[in-house]
Amino acid sequence: MDAAAINFKAGYTEPLHLHPMTATHHQQRLYALSQCLLEHQALWRCQPFICSPDWANSQPQLAHTVSQFDDNTLAACQASDQALRQALAHALPSLCAQLESLCEVPETRPPQRRHPPPDIPGRKWQQIELFSHSIKQVSKPLLEWCAGKAHLGRYLAVIHDQPVVSLEIDSALVEEGRNLAARERINLQMRQCDVLADGSTALSPHTHAVALHACGGLHRRLLSAGSDMEVARISWSPCCYHKFIEGEFSPLSDAGRVAGLELRLAEIRGAVRQNTTAGKAERERHHKLQAWKLGFDALQRELRGLDEYLPTPPVSATLAKGSFSDFCKHMAERKQVTLPQNLEFGSYESRGQAAYHRVARQELVRELFRRPLELWLALDEIVFLEEHGYFCELSCFCNDRITPRNLFIDAKRIGR
């Protein structure tokens, strides 16, 4: 897109002016999402876990609505975008309707299910089968990016009768992948490779590259290197957009940079907060640790005499097996906070639980934008490839109960 055709700067929320002869459907959608996200950024840039959001005072109806959600509603909203929009529709009717329209993506019709092989977990097998079905016809040799054990590559090699090269950095996974391919007599070559450093050497104009859930900078590297090499086709499902990104995030596409939506990695992480696949025990452990973090936060504010959030390092799930006092002692040591003798931890644990009850519900307003943010990131990647001579299609290869990271993008080099 011609940047001069767009009258836009960061923070400006008037309708964007697109040149009708140059803007593709995906560019138009990217800018519509940009406008919506900028207009409502006060709702999603805030982090209730760190401090009370401004809307808690400025929008009393919204604050009252989320405060009344019971635990079942909370869990449903955390797991489902549709449930989340429905729950907030009373307080934010026009916004919820707008987001539903902006985030509509067609879902590929699923194939007839096959019985999963014994070496592939059931949900992973569903993802492989449905992702492969979305690819449809294959006419080029396949390159599997960030392959793991090459479960996807082996499946594609069989159903499409094409040779496959699978790239993976972990030597143990490479060895397992080689053994599985040899046992099944599949035409697949497994290579140990750091795709961020050396992956481009495996790409060529005659390659069809595939990537199922290569995280953040890994799949972005595929797109940049693949477009430079004029790879014939790239089929991928993005995942964990914030990972493997060095420094500050920058859009890939010229159109994305012109849109003026500046995103920090913490905000990009919010695009993948939906989790429909976690079991009950995992959810309960997460909730406990979040409440403990908030309890420690109340404690450290008093001890330090500073009413400000103190960022804490990621914690191992094994910490949840101990006590709240053990958790606080661990965090205090890591953050060099001195704990007084005979400290009564029980009151802070109760305060943390009460804070989590409030914060988890306030976070739902922010999470209303998790799918719009994810779609914006995916559209930026799509438009980047369009700017480099590709025709792209966007769909969902499965429903979000199988995986919430269900976007499927198929990019074909024009003229190939």
Side-chain angles (χ1 to χ4, degrees):
M1 171 170 300
D2 183 1
I6 304 169
N7 179 18
F8 188 77
K9 60 183 179 181
Y12 182 74
T13 57
E14 290 299 315
L16 299 160
H17 301 291
L18 301 177
H19 196 294
M21 299 302 293
T22 58
T24 69
H25 166 73
H26 293 125
Q27 286 173 329
Q28 291 174 351
R29 195 171 188 183
L30 178 71
Y31 281 109
L33 273 168
S34 298
Q35 181 183 342
C36 178
L37 288 168
L38 283 164
E39 182 179 352
H40 299 285
Q41 57 188 313
L43 297 179
W44 59 268
R45 289 199 191 272
C46 62
Q47 297 185 54
F49 199 90
I50 295 176
C51 62
S52 179
D54 291 341
W55 58 259
N57 294 320
S58 61
Q59 299 192 46
Q61 182 183 3
L62 176 58
H64 176 74
T65 296
V66 298
S67 71
Q68 298 303 303
F69 290 160
D70 60 24
D71 289 346
N72 289 335
T73 302
L74 174 66
C77 290
Q78 289 173 333
S80 166
D81 290 320
Q82 184 177 6
L84 179 55
R85 287 192 296 266
Q86 289 174 348
L88 292 175
H90 176 69
L92 300 168
S94 59
L95 174 59
C96 289
Q98 182 185 19
L99 291 179
E100 183 167 9
S101 176
L102 286 172
C103 294
E104 186 176 356
V105 178
E107 183 177 332
T108 304
R109 185 175 180 179
Q112 184 175 355
R113 295 281 308 281
R114 302 185 186 185
H115 187 71
D119 56 327
I120 305 179
R123 185 174 286 114
K124 183 65 176 178
W125 171 251
Q126 286 180 283
Q127 294 173 27
I128 288 170
E129 192 174 34
L130 294 167
F131 179 89
S132 302
H133 176 71
S134 295
I135 292 175
K136 299 175 183 175
Q137 299 300 316
V138 171
S139 59
K140 304 283 186 183
L142 290 156
L143 177 74
E144 184 182 12
W145 197 261
C146 301
K149 299 178 185 178
H151 292 321
L152 172 64
R154 297 198 317 278
Y155 183 84
L156 291 172
V158 170
I159 65 173
H160 293 295
D161 193 25
Q162 286 287 342
V164 177
V165 173
S166 296
L167 307 182
E168 171 56 44
I169 193 171
D170 188 311
S171 60
L173 297 180
V174 169
E175 187 62 25
E176 287 189 66
R178 285 173 178 165
N179 292 337
L180 289 169
R183 186 184 71 189
E184 299 167 14
R185 298 181 179 179
I186 290 175
N187 187 6
L188 182 142
Q189 181 185 144
M190 199 88 192
R191 296 183 190 172
Q192 185 175 4
C193 175
D194 179 355
V195 297
L196 293 176
D198 307 314
S200 60
T201 60
L203 298 167
S204 80
H206 308 292
T207 302
H208 179 176
V210 297
L212 174 57
H213 294 162
C215 292
L218 300 176
H219 75 256
R220 284 164 63 94
R221 176 59 179 161
L222 170 60
L223 306 186
S224 59
S227 60
D228 286 344
M229 295 298 295
E230 299 185 355
V231 167
R233 187 177 174 190
I234 307 174
S235 306
W236 79 102
S237 177
C239 185
C240 299
Y241 303 82
H242 58 286
K243 293 185 177 180
F244 301 100
I245 302 290
E246 293 187 4
E248 296 183 357
F249 172 83
S250 178
L252 284 175
S253 69
D254 293 337
R257 287 188 289 273
V258 171
L261 182 66
E262 297 180 1
L263 295 173
R264 296 170 294 186
L265 287 180
E267 294 162 346
I268 293 172
R269 187 180 292 109
V272 295
R273 286 171 62 89
Q274 179 188 6
N275 190 347
T276 59
T277 59
K280 180 180 178 181
E282 183 180 349
R283 292 196 304 270
E284 290 177 349
R285 181 171 61 248
H286 173 75
H287 295 170
K288 177 192 283 188
L289 289 173
Q290 293 296 92
W292 282 3
K293 283 186 177 182
L294 289 166
F296 176 75
D297 181 54
L299 172 59
Q300 66 83 18
R301 288 177 192 247
E302 290 187 7
L303 294 179
R304 295 169 65 227
L306 293 173
D307 189 18
E308 64 180 25
Y309 181 74
L310 181 66
T312 54
V315 296
S316 168
T318 57
L319 274 178
K321 297 179 181 178
S323 66
F324 174 68
S325 60
D326 291 335
F327 177 87
C328 288
K329 291 172 184 177
H330 172 83
M331 283 298 178
E333 182 179 357
R334 294 290 300 273
K335 302 304 294 185
Q336 298 182 337
V337 175
T338 301
L339 299 179
Q341 295 292 328
N342 303 319
L343 180 65
E344 175 53 53
F345 289 98
S347 63
Y348 294 101
E349 183 173 13
S350 297
R351 288 167 65 178
Q353 291 170 347
Y356 177 76
H357 184 276
R358 180 188 69 255
V359 165
R361 285 153 178 79
Q362 291 178 338
E363 286 277 3
L364 293 179
V365 177
R366 184 180 173 209
E367 292 183 17
L368 183 64
F369 295 87
R370 61 197 176 198
R371 188 62 160 184
L373 282 167
E374 178 175 20
L375 191 55
W376 191 96
L377 293 164
L379 286 167
D380 171 56
E381 296 172 0
I382 290 171
V383 172
F384 168 77
L385 288 183
E386 289 182 337
E387 293 169 349
H388 287 77
Y390 286 82
F391 173 78
C392 300
E393 295 180 288
L394 171 67
S395 63
C396 292
F397 71 92
C398 66
N399 63 56
D400 62 4
R401 292 184 299 278
I402 296 174
T403 173
R405 307 281 72 77
N406 60 357
L407 294 178
F408 174 81
I409 307 164
D410 200 21
K412 298 176 182 178
R413 184 80 183 175
I414 296 173
R416 292 282 170 81

